[in-house]
Amino acid sequence: MKKLALALLFLTPMSVMAQEQYSLGLGVGYQQKPYVGDNSSWVPVPHFEYQNGRFFIKGLKAGLFIVDMPTTKVDTHLRYQSLNFKPKDSEGALRDLNRRKSTIELGVGAMHIFPSQFFVSADIDADILGRSKGVNIDAGGGIIHNFNDHFKVIPKVGGIWSSKKHNDYYYGVSREESARSGVTEYNPDSSFTPYVGVGTVIDATDNLHLFGGVQVKFLPSEVKNSPMTNRSALSSFALGINYNF
């Protein structure tokens, strides 16, 4: 499931789907990971998107539209948050730390596309499984460049605010862990992670589409300074094909 997060990179900012439609796709993706010893990898990227009335599934997100108009959407949703740390995949003393598990988040999201094709979006999500008990707020904006009827490019910039509880669970080292492993105790504060990305969609036919996307996240000091991490930025890339039924 962690690998499915790549599928979100190449989606258009707002899918326009008729009632009771769905799409399936498959591609290949590359994803860098923040933790020491958790190597980057090329992975298959399956994608599924479905909408029936106000209910929708889009990648790792499923929910109900509160507002569902062609240029404005507001939803409440559940989202799979894939970040996790497995000590066995790490190195040295980090192998003696506790595991950090992925979780399910409950949230609300909103998106609006202006007549100029500029769009803004925001999501507020909170852990509901009690892993971190943290909150993430993702907000950004971009523009849809339609070069012709079959080819569009969608650049986007944004940022993710993560609460102290989220960061402490996924990047902090408790006093007990430090005493057991010898890893320096670490207690990060809340953080802001800026990112830039670009996606593209080529309509080969009315139903068959090629997609691609790349995103770079610039990790804040609260993450970079953790003894569990060894990167200052994370890059993701995906390329594939999608069919609308």
Side-chain angles (χ1 to χ4, degrees):
M1 290 293 292
K2 180 178 180 180
K3 300 167 183 177
L4 290 178
L6 287 167
L8 301 182
L9 294 177
F10 46 77
L11 294 179
T12 58
M14 186 177 294
S15 297
V16 180
M17 298 180 68
Q19 299 297 304
E20 298 183 295
Q21 261 198 344
Y22 64 94
S23 65
L24 295 172
L26 183 64
V28 63
Y30 172 79
Q31 185 177 40
Q32 290 183 324
K33 304 166 188 175
Y35 295 117
V36 174
D38 198 353
N39 296 323
S40 307
S41 59
W42 288 91
V43 296
V45 182
H47 168 64
F48 176 69
E49 188 169 348
Y50 174 78
Q51 183 174 342
N52 185 352
R54 294 187 178 271
F55 174 74
F56 71 91
I57 300 173
K58 187 174 183 181
L60 301 179
K61 179 177 171 181
L64 294 172
F65 286 116
I66 302 170
V67 177
D68 187 13
M69 297 187 295
T71 59
T72 303
K73 292 186 186 290
V74 179
D75 68 72
T76 180
H77 59 257
L78 293 173
R79 183 198 304 272
Y80 178 73
Q81 204 277 92
S82 61
L83 182 63
N84 67 87
F85 170 76
K86 296 180 180 180
K88 65 181 180 63
D89 293 333
S90 195
E91 301 173 354
L94 295 175
R95 290 178 175 267
D96 293 323
L97 298 182
N98 297 332
R99 181 175 179 180
R100 274 70 167 169
K101 297 180 180 180
S102 54
T103 191
I104 302 294
E105 294 177 324
L106 174 66
V108 294
M111 178 173 287
H112 179 73
I113 299 180
F114 296 91
S116 63
Q117 295 299 291
F118 176 76
F119 66 89
V120 292
S121 64
D123 286 272
I124 303 175
D125 296 293
D127 171 29
I128 60 171
L129 297 186
R131 309 285 201 224
S132 70
K133 301 179 182 179
V135 175
N136 290 292
I137 301 175
D138 184 341
I143 191 166
I144 306 170
H145 289 287
N146 291 295
F147 287 91
N148 54 48
D149 293 338
H150 304 286
F151 177 53
K152 66 182 67 175
V153 175
I154 309 162
K156 182 181 180 181
V157 298
I160 303 169
W161 179 86
S162 297
S163 69
K164 175 177 173 57
K165 287 184 178 181
H166 172 91
N167 288 342
D168 197 48
Y169 178 74
Y170 286 105
Y171 303 111
V173 177
S174 68
R175 182 176 302 176
E176 292 76 15
E177 286 180 303
S178 178
R180 182 177 70 244
S181 65
V183 178
T184 303
E185 182 180 351
Y186 184 66
N187 297 291
D189 291 322
S190 60
S191 65
F192 179 77
T193 304
Y195 63 81
V196 296
V198 61
T200 183
V201 178
I202 300 173
D203 298 329
T205 68
D206 289 341
N207 299 97
L208 187 65
H209 313 280
L210 305 177
F211 56 76
V214 62
Q215 185 185 75
V216 180
K217 292 182 178 179
F218 304 96
L219 298 180
S221 58
E222 290 81 5
V223 176
K224 292 188 294 184
N225 292 341
S226 170
M228 300 172 63
T229 65
N230 62 352
R231 293 186 184 275
S232 59
L234 297 177
S235 298
S236 300
F237 168 82
L239 184 68
I241 191 169
N242 194 70
Y243 189 86
N244 290 336
F245 293 88

